[in-house]
Amino acid sequence: MAAAPKHDVAEIAHKVLKLCVQERQNVPSQPIVSIVPPQNEREIGSIAKPSQAPSSIDVTLSHAEKIFGYRVRMDHPRFFGFIPSPASDLSWLGEILNSAYNTHAGSWFQSSGPSAVEKHLLSWLARDAIGYPEMAGGCFVSGGSMANLSALMVARDQKLSFEDRSKAVAYTSDQTHSSLAKGLGILGFHPNQIRKVACDDKMRINTTLLQSAIEEDNASGKIPFLIVGNAGTTNTGTVDPFPELAAIAREHGLWLHADGAYGASALLCKSRRSILNGIELCDSLSWDAHKWLFQTYGCGMVLVRNRKNLTSTFGTSAEYTQDAAETAESFPNFWNYGPELTRPARAMKLWFSFQLLGLDAIDNYINHGFELAEIAQSSLERLPDWEILSSAQMGIICFRYKPSGIPAESLDGLNAKISQTAIEENLAAPLTTRIRGVLVLRICCIHPGLSGEEMVAVIDGLNQVAKSLLPSIDSKTNGL
Ligand SMILES: Cc1ncc(COP(=O)(O)O)c(C=O)c1O
């Protein structure tokens, strides 16, 4: 049998890193959104298939450039859709380090160095950032959906007997992220076991309606067990009133989970931290480092007020892992704290970034995101014909173009077209969402690389685009 070809690892590493650095530097001048044209899809298909003989590094990297060229640059400073990924270069470099060391971070035996970092980083975030007590802890997972799923499973195990599960009810707001309903579905709950409570005029969960829903369900023999509060909704960046939610949860003996996948990072920004007051009263919290902590995908955390709740849900043992069994609680096996057994040492890239950036820079970067949305708001307020449907909060603002004389039924189409045109012209990528049924442009602007002046220019550019589209509105059909 022929031996596997020997590679010059140093040469490949040099070429790969050179391309990566070049790509990172070029992001701001590249198309924000680039989708494979249907006629080119076959070409990608042909380079996707492995061939019998090996390819050279140069050919393979040129293919990689072609493949990666077709994507939304989620890390582009003017990509404002979904939750962008303003990842620091230090994160991908930390990831390379982590990947090269290739630690199995399941047990202390296999990963005592990186596991010690994970433990100390999580307890620092839990105690110093959130304000949790000493017994708090957590686990790194792949992202917000897995963090939410993990917390929901703990909530179920802490609050329900097996027999109770079919009668159980969970409460979210109508703005809660879809990963919560998905997580409850994965855990075997029926969609009608989720009560999506309506929001008040500020898009926060209406606590009066929540209180009566719980009382109603209790009276009819159902078993309320969980409230999910939003620590920064995806749609508008809204924070639910945690002190009130905690009082309701305490009164009825329910678990309180905070979805801070997006917004929990405000805890590391001294001047904005108070927006999350009361979050320390929650039993569990999701927090994504790949959103507003400047990490590459996938890096999320689930944190709990009492770490023993994680081990009682996720703790496992097997004959073949007996040599790696936990010897003391202070030397944790993270496979007992979350759903994965084999898992990368995800904490290491966050550690690497924290080390090289320092907390003051993180604080400034997060504050900058808040400020950019506020700058967008004041620019919009100076222009006629723009309506703000959700004010700047947590780096998110929702608005629409609403010139006089345009029939209401044309506004959704007009605003969708503004978004498409801005993307086609590579001005910016504000995607659309709906606020109380109305189509709006949504800007989530958390990239530290976008200046305030550039944000003003983006809003001016959107105004030009909007005005240029007005003549195309057909007055007979009122369409575009
Ligand atoms: C508030 C919130 N929760 C949860 C999620 C899901 O996180 P992930 O996409 O990392 O699974 C998101 C994603 O945008 C989010 O904004």
Side-chain angles (χ1 to χ4, degrees):
M1 203 172 119
K6 272 210 179 309
H7 289 114
D8 182 340
V9 176
E11 189 205 354
I12 294 178
H14 180 76
K15 289 187 171 179
V16 168
L17 279 179
K18 193 169 160 214
L19 178 64
C20 292
V21 171
Q22 189 184 306
E23 163 59 25
R24 304 305 317 154
Q25 286 168 348
N26 286 343
V27 164
S29 60
Q30 296 294 307
I32 307 170
V33 173
S34 177
I35 298 170
V36 185
Q39 67 275 18
N40 290 17
E41 203 278 329
R42 271 169 187 269
E43 196 193 342
I44 302 286
S46 70
I47 55 179
K49 292 188 206 116
S51 54
Q52 292 305 128
S55 291
S56 72
I57 179 64
D58 294 328
V59 168
T60 306
L61 285 182
S62 76
H63 287 168
E65 268 189 280
K66 184 180 286 281
I67 296 163
F68 283 122
Y70 295 121
R71 70 186 200 283
V72 171
R73 288 181 168 77
M74 300 285 291
D75 49 2
H76 194 289
R78 297 190 309 278
F79 178 74
F80 301 132
F82 314 126
I83 304 292
S85 171
S88 160
D89 283 329
L90 301 171
S91 177
W92 67 264
L93 289 163
E95 176 84 68
I96 288 178
L97 193 70
N98 192 37
S99 176
Y101 279 89
N102 196 28
T103 309
H104 183 306
S107 73
W108 190 265
F109 170 66
Q110 290 153 295
S111 154
S112 47
S115 288
V117 168
E118 179 162 0
K119 180 183 97 159
H120 288 289
L121 201 50
L122 285 166
S123 65
W124 173 76
L125 288 168
R127 286 177 225 164
D128 291 33
I130 303 172
Y132 269 165
E134 200 279 328
M135 76 266 241
C139 187
F140 275 77
V141 290
S142 61
S145 302
M146 286 307 290
N148 283 332
L149 173 65
S150 306
L152 295 174
M153 190 155 153
V154 173
R156 180 199 68 185
D157 292 354
Q158 289 301 312
K159 292 295 176 186
L160 300 171
S161 70
F162 185 73
E163 292 70 31
D164 286 345
R165 289 184 192 178
S166 61
K167 287 190 245 148
V169 187
Y171 303 83
T172 69
S173 89
D174 60 18
Q175 292 295 304
T176 297
H177 192 266
S178 56
S179 58
L180 275 302
K182 190 190 252 188
L184 287 163
I186 292 170
L187 295 178
F189 293 100
H190 190 275
N192 67 18
Q193 292 181 271
I194 307 171
R195 284 259 208 162
K196 292 190 180 170
V197 179
C199 287
D200 62 19
D201 54 358
K202 294 193 178 122
M203 310 287 281
R204 307 179 319 165
I205 190 167
N206 181 323
T207 48
T208 312
L209 292 180
L210 171 67
Q211 179 76 277
S212 18
I214 295 171
E215 282 162 13
E216 220 173 79
D217 288 337
N218 269 327
S220 67
K222 293 184 182 144
I223 305 179
F225 80 105
L226 163 73
I227 300 172
V228 177
N230 298 301
T233 57
T234 322
N235 230 8
T236 58
T238 305
V239 178
D240 284 330
F242 281 104
E244 281 177 60
L245 292 185
I248 297 172
R250 211 173 312 117
E251 180 189 340
H252 296 280
L254 311 193
W255 186 273
L256 177 59
H257 172 67
D259 181 5
Y262 171 57
S265 293
L267 290 167
L268 296 184
C269 179
K270 287 189 206 79
S271 57
R272 309 285 183 160
R273 198 212 172 280
S274 61
I275 194 174
L276 293 171
N277 276 351
I279 202 159
E280 68 285 356
L281 304 170
C282 297
D283 298 293
S284 54
L285 168 77
S286 301
W287 185 347
D288 262 355
H290 67 208
K291 292 192 165 66
W292 212 357
L293 275 185
F294 315 108
Q295 298 305 294
T296 53
Y297 304 124
C299 192
M301 295 168 276
V302 56
L303 292 130
V304 288
R305 156 175 282 281
N306 182 351
R307 59 183 176 269
K308 287 200 189 326
N309 294 158
L310 284 176
T311 48
S312 75
T313 285
F314 294 110
T316 47
S317 65
E319 287 160 349
Y320 82 99
T321 58
Q322 62 185 356
D323 298 329
E326 215 169 85
T327 54
E329 209 230 348
S330 49
F331 307 136
N333 281 355
F334 278 102
W335 63 39
N336 289 331
Y337 285 72
E340 297 165 294
L341 183 93
T342 303
R343 55 197 290 280
R346 294 190 181 93
M348 291 307 291
K349 63 179 172 182
L350 185 58
W351 166 81
F352 187 78
S353 306
F354 276 169
Q355 293 297 308
L356 294 187
L357 283 172
L359 288 176
D360 286 344
I362 303 269
D363 183 325
N364 287 335
Y365 289 172
I366 295 166
N367 190 45
H368 186 68
F370 277 88
E371 282 178 357
L372 284 175
E374 288 156 5
I375 290 170
Q377 172 154 347
S378 36
S379 300
L380 287 162
E381 282 166 351
R382 276 196 291 271
L383 294 169
D385 302 333
W386 289 87
E387 180 187 27
I388 294 170
L389 285 97
S390 172
S391 298
Q393 48 188 340
M394 285 262 188
I396 299 178
I397 178 165
C398 297
F399 54 97
R400 67 174 174 169
Y401 188 50
K402 196 185 170 202
S404 57
I406 301 295
E409 57 275 24
S410 294
L411 289 175
D412 283 8
L414 174 59
N415 281 277
K417 190 76 186 152
I418 294 170
S419 165
Q420 282 161 21
T421 311
I423 292 169
E424 278 157 23
E425 294 181 0
N426 213 36
L427 164 70
L431 300 190
T432 64
T433 186
R434 286 191 179 272
I435 303 285
R436 296 180 204 95
V438 167
L439 186 139
V440 292
L441 301 171
R442 172 179 169 280
I443 282 186
C444 177
C445 46
I446 53 175
H447 202 301
L450 187 76
S451 69
E453 292 74 33
E454 286 168 319
M455 177 54 93
V456 172
V458 165
I459 299 297
D460 283 345
L462 288 176
N463 193 40
Q464 295 306 323
V465 167
K467 284 205 244 171
S468 73
L469 290 171
L470 276 182
S472 61
I473 296 188
D474 180 334
S475 56
K476 283 201 195 99
T477 62
N478 294 333
L480 281 171

